[in-house]
Amino acid sequence: GHGTAVASVIAGRFVGVSPRVRLQSYAALDAQGHGATSTVLKAVDAMLSVPPDERPDILCVPLGMASSDEAIARALRLVAAQNILVVAAAGNEGSEKPVQFPASMSEVLSVGALDEDGRPLGFSNRGSVERDGKLQKEGPDLWAPGANTLAAVGVGTRGGSDDPVLPPARYTTMSGTWFSCAVGAGLG
């Protein structure tokens, strides 16, 4: 599902941008990329429960929400205070839409999606974010490839826009800031 695809973009042996990194996987979303505050908090808590010398250097957060969530914000501030780089997807709602939460947080590196020619994709959020009348972010902090990204998928998973899974290796192409977030985290 979602986690398999994102992990393969980061560290997949055949398609990953950093195939030699060691991943720690904490499920915050289901196979379709849906979740709740409680599942995100459980995943962050599990990561922070690991001894400090075994924690990751980078936390990839390939999800976005239209409004902020104070519990998740507190948890990610705690992660960032542990000198862990938090990288999050800018959102797939459209060019005029503001960068989604948690990518909108100042403590988080937000990543927007580029097409194959290095131009921002039309669906990638890139609007500025204001909180309490103050500019928090002008748009994504980083841009990375996010169009037609080759990713591993689980059995029975379909690619984006009815793209078939490519047997027998079970790879497909997908597009979105989820995948540009994974590229940014993998290169971080």
Side-chain angles (χ1 to χ4, degrees):
H2 181 262
T4 300
V6 170
S8 76
V9 172
I10 296 171
R13 189 169 57 174
F14 301 113
V15 299
V17 295
S18 296
R20 294 184 182 202
V21 300
R22 192 187 69 159
L23 291 180
Q24 294 177 13
S25 181
Y26 302 96
L29 305 176
D30 64 21
Q32 289 73 40
H34 301 109
T37 296
S38 62
T39 59
V40 174
L41 293 176
K42 284 179 187 175
V44 172
D45 185 55
M47 185 204 62
L48 291 174
S49 297
V50 173
D53 61 327
E54 296 176 23
R55 291 181 185 154
D57 297 321
I58 300 169
L59 173 62
C60 180
V61 185
L63 59 87
M65 304 165 73
S67 59
S68 62
D69 181 297
E70 192 52 41
I72 292 173
R74 276 194 309 274
L76 293 180
R77 280 190 209 102
L78 181 59
V79 169
Q82 304 292 315
N83 292 319
I84 297 170
L85 175 63
V86 181
V87 181
N92 299 320
E93 311 297 298
S95 64
E96 301 302 316
K97 298 289 186 174
V99 171
Q100 287 191 329
F101 176 85
S104 61
M105 294 175 58
S106 59
E107 300 87 352
V108 174
L109 182 72
S110 59
V111 186
L114 297 173
D115 67 16
E116 293 91 340
D117 296 320
R119 294 182 303 241
L121 283 161
F123 63 73
S124 185
N125 292 31
R126 53 184 166 274
S128 61
V129 178
E130 291 188 13
R131 294 257 197 293
D132 301 322
K134 295 180 184 176
L135 181 66
Q136 188 164 354
K137 284 210 178 187
E138 289 189 43
D141 298 308
L142 177 72
W143 292 90
N148 300 314
T149 306
L150 188 61
V153 293
V155 176
T157 305
R158 299 203 51 89
S161 64
D162 298 324
D163 292 336
V165 171
L166 306 174
R170 294 194 174 77
Y171 288 91
T172 192
T173 57
M174 298 180 178
S175 297
T177 59
W178 296 349
F179 303 106
S180 53
C181 174
V183 171
L187 295 176

